[in-house]
Structure formats: structure tokens, C-alpha cells
């Protein structure tokens, strides 16, 4: 709420992507609250629980902050904005949890006596699950997921943001069926430039073009049933009508291009072809649809850049903690196990046949930013002991926090747009994969390393 208020104060707008920031920040805070309760459950002392969780949660908030900030490496301003504000939210979430919440517990004593039998049952169930004993082949899964992600395409359908039942989708399809075109652009060229006019004549032959309207087309369309001598005296009026809809500016004329189809990739290819032909000629294409085409081209590259950035920043933070907490000999093993989940989750795009869009492009950085949280708590709990001790002590809290996060993600399914729904599905299954990797892949990796020694 504070982040949204700050955005409003600074005049920032809400859009399809940053509209989900509230849930991203809630997911981060849920983990801290569950680990605090886990400490309280064993000692029945909320002050001890807060003190015990304070430092590990600081580092989990730091890795979440770094994961979100890596979105600023993406070439898309809309993605950079959500990354920046979610990173700010992650820091304020930690401050509120450990600076404000203890005061609430002090003022409301009944909160200090929380005991839940159902949670105890969950704990008994979680301890009954045994770690994976033979899982060498499981490390092939992230590699397969990376390979499959190479075949995932950017979202090119303009109507892919809306369900087929949405009125906008129905209207656009009906409009194109009735009139033969759905989008428009403008071909701008120098007056009296024969080379530019030759390019325009080639543009008219494109399969993407439904019709091209310039001054000559206006004349032929309006007076196609008249002989030239009949309209000889109204040239000025014809020019007025043409200039009103195809206005000239200085040395430039413009022609209206009516485009067929709603595929951004096709429009991008069309634009590139014109750009090549206009390289040495004074002409270019303009229109409201072209910036969206340019943004769509950068979705995959933005996801890869933010993925590399988040893995680098979060990995560096986790590596530093391994050295500080005397786990330097197991550092590489623990890092590989920690990132097993996020890289495996890339395969979800291929499994569900999802394309990369403006919303799902932030998915991987969110998962990477939150993937190291369990490992951080395991490291702080184990200290000079085996990492398996930290896992056994914190597995209950990790499982409950995962269940709480999974309970939050279905909210995305109620969105009016398709991309947030896809994001909800991706986050849901990615956190299941992350939990499996953080607990069982980590235990197996550490055990295998000891057997090799």
C-alpha cells in the first residue's frame, strides 16, 4: 500500500504489469511471517522469534531486491518500472515486518499466544517426506528446460492480450472481416522524389497491404465515374480534401497504409523491408502500432538479460553468505541446487505453450529473487553444522510458506487479460518446482558430494 501511495505521489501510472506488484510484495512478506511463526512455535517467545529471523530475512529481502532490480536491465521501460518499484517494496516490506510488527505484538498481547493444531499436522506430514536418494538425472532437467526455452517465441498476436470472448477481440475480428483491414500506418516521403514514389509503388504490392490512400488515390476514389475534363476546375477542392486527411508537412507527403492482419511479427518484417528500401531514399514508415512492434521484438532479450543479471547478483550474494557462514566448501553445490528450480521453471513456457509477453517476461527474475530465500534460512540455521540440519529445522516453515504462496497465485486467474493469467500459472508451478529443488535436490547434492569424497 505504501508503494502504491508513493507511486501516486510521484505521478506514476498503473498498467497491466505493475498492477500485480501488490501480490509480488505479499509473496515476499508471507515467507518472513511464516519463518517468524516457525521460530515462535518452537520457543513460544515472539521476541526470540523476531530476533532469530531478523538477519536471515534481511538477506532474503536483499536477494529479492536484487532479483527485482535486475529487471531494470531489460530494454523495456514498462518492465524496468515494475522491477524498480517491486525492489523498493521488498525493502519496505522488511522494514515494516521487523520495525513495526513487533510493536503490534506488544500492543496486542493475544497475538503472542498463537497455537495452531492444523499447522502442527502439516509439520508432521512434511517430516514424513524423505529426500531424493537417486536423482542424478534430475540435473539434466534444467538443461532440457533451457533448450526448450530457445523454441519459445515472443507474443506476436495483438489480440493475445484478450480472451477470445472479450468484446474487443470480437469487434476487431468482425471489423477486419467486414472491411478487409484492421491496422493503419503512414508512409512518409519527400515531395517530387521519384525513388520514394517507386518504393511506394512496391509497398502497394505487399500482401500485408489492403489499400494505400494518397492524393492520387483520393482523386481516383472520389471521382472514378467522372472524366478528367469534368473535374478540371476543382483541383483546388480536391487538394483541400486530400490535405485534410493526408496532410503535407514541409517537403514531405504522406500516404495512408491500411494493413491486413493483427500479427506484430508480420508488421515488423514489413517495416524492415521498407526501411531497407528507404535507406538511401527520403522515406520512412510511421504509425501508432510501430512502437508496440518494436517493444514486442525485445521481450525475449529483456527476459534473458534480466535472468543473467538476477542470477549473477543473487548468486554473488548467496556465495558471500556461504563463505561468511563457513559453507565455502559446499558453495558451488548449494548454488547449483538453489538455481535448479528457476532454470527448470523455464521449461514451463514450452510445456504450457506460452509465448513471452510483457507480463511473463518478469517471471524468471521474480522466481530467481525468491529462490534463494530457503537456502539463506538453511545456512543461518546450520551455521557450523551440516546444511541438512538447517533443512530439517526449517523444512516445515519452507513448506508452509510455499503453500501460502500457492494459495495467493490463483488471484491472477481472475484478471480480464490473458498475460496475468499465464503469469499466475507460471508462478504457481515454479514455486512447487523451487520447493522441490530447495529441499530435496539440495539434500541429494550434499549427500552425493560426501559420497564422492
Amino acid at each position: 500500500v505504501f508503494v502504491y501511495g508513493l507511486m501516486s505521489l510521484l505521478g506514476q501510472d498503473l498498467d497491466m504489469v505493475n498492477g500485480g506488484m501488490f501480490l509480488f510484495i505479499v509473496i515476499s512478506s508471507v515467507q518472513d511471517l511464516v519463518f517468524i511463526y516457525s521460530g515462535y512455535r518452537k520457543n513460544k517467545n515472539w521476541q526470540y522469534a523476531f530476533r532469530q529471523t531478523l538477519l536471515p530475512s534481511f538477506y532474503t529481502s536483499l536477494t529479492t531486491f536484487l532479483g527485482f532490480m535486475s529487471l531494470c536491465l531489460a530494454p523495456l521501460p514498462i518492465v524496468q518500472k515494475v522491477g524498480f518499484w517491486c525492489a523498493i517494496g521488498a525493502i519496505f516490506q522488511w522494514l515494516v515486518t521487523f520495525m513495526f510488527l513487533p510493536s503490534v505484538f506488544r500492543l496486542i498481547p493475544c497475538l503472542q499466544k498463537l497455537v495452531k493444531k492444523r499447522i502442527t499436522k502439516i509439520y508432521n506430514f512434511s517430516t514424513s517426506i524423505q529426500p531424493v536418494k537417486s536423482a542424478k538425472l534430475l540435473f539434466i532437467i534444467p538443461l532440457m528446460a533451457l533448450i526448450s526455452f530457445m523454441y519459445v517465441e515472443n507474443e506476436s498476436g495483438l489480440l493475445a492480450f484478450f480472451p477470445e470472448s472479450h468484446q474487443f477481440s470480437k469487434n476487431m475480428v468482425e471489423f477486419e472481416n467486414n472491411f478487409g483491414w484492421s491496422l493503419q500506418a503512414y508512409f512518409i516521403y519527400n515531395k517530387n522524389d521519384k525513388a520514394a514514389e517507386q518504393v511506394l509503388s512496391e509497398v502497394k504490392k505487399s500482401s500485408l497491404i489492403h489499400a494505400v490512400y494518397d492524393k492520387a488515390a483520393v482523386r481516383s476514389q472520389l471521382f472514378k465515374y467522372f472524366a478528367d475534363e469534368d473535374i478540371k476546375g476543382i483541383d483546388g477542392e480536391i487538394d483541400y480534401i486530400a490535405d485534410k486527411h493526408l496532410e503535407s508537412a514541409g517537403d514531405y507527403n504522406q500516404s495512408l497504409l491500411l494493413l491486413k492482419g493483427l500479427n506484430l511479427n508480420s508488421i515488423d518484417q514489413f517495416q524492415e523491408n521498407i526501411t531497407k528500401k528507404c535507406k538511401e531514399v527520403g522515406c520512412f514508415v510511421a504509425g501508432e502500432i510501430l512502437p508496440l512492434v518494436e517493444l514486442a521484438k525485445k521481450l525475449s532479450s529483456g527476459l534473458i538479460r534480466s535472468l543473467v543479471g538476477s542470477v549473477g547478483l543473487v548468486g554473488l550474494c548467496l556465495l558471500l553468505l556461504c563463505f561468511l557462514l563457513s559453507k565455502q566448501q559446499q558453495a558451488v553445490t548449494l548454488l547449483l541446487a538453489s538455481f535448479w528450480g528457476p532454470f527448470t521453471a523455464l521449461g514451463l513456457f514450452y510445456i504450457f505453450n506460452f509465448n513471452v509477453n510483457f507480463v511473463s517476461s518478469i517471471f524468471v527474475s521474480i522466481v530467481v529473487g525468491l529462490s534463494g530465500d530457503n537456502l539463506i534460512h538453511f545456512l543461518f540455521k546450520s551455521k557450523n553444522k551440516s546444511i541438512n540440519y538447517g533443512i530439517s529445522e526449517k523444512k516445515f516453515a519452507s513448506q508452509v510458506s510455499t503453500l501460502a504462496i500457492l494459495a495467493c497465485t490463483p488471484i491472477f486467474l481472475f484478471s480480464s487479460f490473458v498475460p496475468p493469467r499465464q503469469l499466475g500459472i507460471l508462478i504457481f508451478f515454479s514455486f512447487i518446482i523451487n520447493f522441490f529443488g530447495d529441499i530435496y535436490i539440495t539434500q541429494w547434492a550434499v549427500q552425493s558430494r560426501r559420497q564422492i569424497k
Side-chain angles (χ1 to χ4, degrees), residues 212-254:
V212 175
Y213 288 102
D214 50 20
K215 287 190 176 184
V218 170
R219 176 186 290 268
S220 62
Q221 185 69 24
L222 290 178
F223 304 101
K224 58 184 176 181
Y225 300 113
F226 295 85
D228 290 340
E229 57 270 13
D230 295 334
I231 59 173
K232 191 173 294 183
I234 58 172
D235 288 341
E237 287 78 3
I238 295 175
D239 289 340
Y240 171 77
I241 295 173
D243 287 337
K244 184 177 181 180
H245 299 281
L246 298 169
E247 185 179 6
S248 299
D251 296 329
Y252 289 94
N253 282 335
Q254 62 172 320

Side-chain angles (χ1 to χ4, degrees), residues 7 78 153 158 162 233 268 313 365 386 395:
M7 288 179 62
I78 188 174
E153 299 179 352
L158 192 59
F162 302 92
D268 178 50
L313 293 172
S365 292
S386 169
K395 182 166 68 172

Side-chain angles (χ1 to χ4, degrees), residues 22 27 40 50 100 124 141 148 161 209 212 238 248 258 322 326 346 366 413:
F22 178 79
I27 287 174
Y40 165 78
F50 274 104
F100 174 74
N124 294 333
I141 296 179
S148 68
F161 295 97
I209 292 294
V212 175
I238 295 175
S248 299
L258 301 183
C322 288
S326 303
L346 284 174
I366 295 174
L413 300 179

